[in-house]
Amino acid sequence: MRYPQTPPLRVLCLVLVGLYALGSQCGIAAIPVTPGAASTPGFIAYDTQQDWYSIAFETGIVYTIAIDNGSIRDTEATLFAPDGVTVLTNLTTVDTDTRRLLFTWSPAAAPVTALLRVRGFAEFTTGTYSLAVNWDYRPAPDSDQDGVPDWVETDTGNWVSYVNTGSDPHAPDSDGDFWNDWAETRRGTDPNNPLSYPFATRQDFDGDGKADIAVYWPQAGQWYILQSAQNTTRIVDWGWSDTQPVAADFDGDGITDIAVYWPQGGNWYIQYSGGGNTIMNWGWQAARPAPADYDGDHMADIAVFYDVDGSWYIRLSHTQSVAVYQWGWGGTTTVPADFDADGRADPTIFWPENGTWYIRQSESQSLRTVQWGWSASIAVPADYDGDHIADIAVYWPTVGNWYILRSSDQQITEINWGWNAAIPVPNDYDGDGQDDIAVFDPATGAWYIRQSSTGQVLVRNWGWPDTLPIGAFY
């Protein structure tokens, strides 16, 4: 099992200062510190799945917490309340001479077991490092100097650090835009220009920048993918009859990962494109999956929507923290997308009763409402004009019409493409940066794609009546 948030090794040193200061104790994560006097933390335990330390703090003592990050960049630290959500304090001091991150904090009332999360690595690239005692570390080559040793990147598949994405330890992120040089070169963008980077294509299972035609067969738990790069067929066994397809790029390598959600157990089963897989419990039977990149780190975040009270529960991949929003109600459709051009998906609902869109804009945290549609229409947001902003759009199955409100100029595009039984599947199938209007015929398994680059029609027979088209809106 691969847990993307689990660090290979960290050193945590807690130094106690104040009235009862007795000195310091340091240890490797996951090795409990023996309790001493009242001023010593009761224990340090490391939870590999949740990625935090549990530490018991006494009242009346000011604690200074020193986290040594050695030569590693982009280390962050946060102290949470026992609920794992409420932030008690964040990093306050960076000692550049000793390369330590320092907290000072004291419980306000009763003793508390707080949760400390540290992001970054204490695997040093060369030599030794001295704390209260000497710890010798084996040399760990870091070919791309992203702060993640080669053995970590190789062993875990598509590891994503805060500096570099991708599993290849020899693929640096020269311009620091979170896309590794190899991925940028492959997609035709400048790896040395932070303003030049590829935009992820949904449903791109082979990484060529084009959406692939794909279906999921629940009866057998099989995926049938027509890979556009080589026009080859790929069949993957991943799922069963009770699971729902939730394909997205969860590891940030620019390639869509095969994934299913099991409502009965609330589990997500993700098969990473670079190898390895994981199971994540996030949801319950009444929750609806709503994966998207809500924090702008190029990785899809696991998320569910509970339409009984309209709550969104999002597990943010960048910080491994939880975001909860009350945004919606029963009968609304979830359509998260980036409507404000900040690189983050906005929690959005469409209310078919009156055709209103309610967008929680991530950039300004403000509400935007747009009346666009009616009870018989289906919300189909996508980037139809190629400006990297999702356009508000609806599909009217009764007559097969698409009504698109273009974000680039606020003009309306109306196109007839479909019929009453057709399922809308818009996506960028030709790789020109604009989503193509497309429908899937559940009766025959045929795809009808109107390519935006040429205006020509692409027809592919891929599927049958019992299959579910990937990327569909309902």
Side-chain angles (χ1 to χ4, degrees), residues 65 67 107 139 173 199 208 228 235 251 256 265 267 270 296 306-307 348 352 358 433 444 448:
I65 305 174
I67 301 135
D173 177 20
F199 286 86
D208 66 347
S228 56
I235 302 175
D251 54 11
T256 299
N267 285 348
I270 303 171
Y306 185 39
D307 63 3
T348 303
Y358 296 86
T444 64
Y448 298 87

Side-chain angles (χ1 to χ4, degrees), residues 58-120:
E58 301 287 342
T59 55
I61 301 169
V62 176
Y63 293 87
T64 294
I65 305 174
I67 301 135
D68 293 89
N69 68 336
S71 60
I72 305 306
R73 298 171 289 178
D74 296 311
T75 302
E76 301 173 350
T78 304
L79 191 66
F80 293 91
D83 60 8
V85 177
T86 305
V87 176
L88 300 176
T89 184
N90 283 305
L91 167 67
T92 55
T93 304
V94 179
D95 188 337
T96 55
D97 293 332
T98 62
R99 296 192 62 79
R100 281 185 169 187
L101 311 181
L102 302 176
F103 286 94
T104 55
W105 183 74
S106 179
V112 63
T113 298
L115 303 170
L116 176 64
R117 172 173 288 139
V118 185
R119 304 300 300 172

Side-chain angles (χ1 to χ4, degrees), residues 17-28:
V17 297
L19 182 61
Y20 303 100
L22 297 177
S24 66
Q25 293 195 45
C26 300
I28 299 177

Side-chain angles (χ1 to χ4, degrees), residues 44 90 133 139 157 174 204-205 257 262 277 307 337 348 350 357 367 393 419 429 443:
I44 301 175
N90 283 305
V133 295
S174 300
D204 179 11
F205 294 95
D257 304 311
W262 183 38
N277 56 74
D307 63 3
T348 303
F350 173 70
W357 298 63
L367 165 65
W419 59 95
Y429 297 98

Side-chain angles (χ1 to χ4, degrees), residues 194-213:
L195 300 179
S196 173
Y197 50 87
F199 286 86
T201 301
R202 304 184 316 279
Q203 204 176 308
D204 179 11
F205 294 95
D206 54 10
D208 66 347
K210 300 178 182 179
D212 300 308
I213 294 173

Side-chain angles (χ1 to χ4, degrees), residues 262-336:
W262 183 38
Q264 286 86 337
N267 285 348
W268 297 65
Y269 298 83
I270 303 171
Q271 183 182 97
Y272 294 103
S273 54
N277 56 74
T278 192
I279 302 173
M280 188 68 64
N281 182 263
W282 197 262
W284 58 95
Q285 188 161 0
R288 257 190 275 157
D293 181 12
Y294 297 96
D295 54 8
D297 64 350
H298 307 306
M299 291 188 285
D301 303 307
I302 292 174
V304 295
F305 174 75
Y306 185 39
D307 63 3
V308 173
D309 63 2
S311 293
W312 299 65
Y313 298 86
I314 305 170
R315 189 178 188 275
L316 299 172
S317 56
H318 184 64
T319 60
Q320 300 300 315
S321 58
V322 179
V324 180
Y325 303 113
Q326 203 289 320
W327 198 257
W329 57 89
T332 55
T333 303
T334 54
V335 282

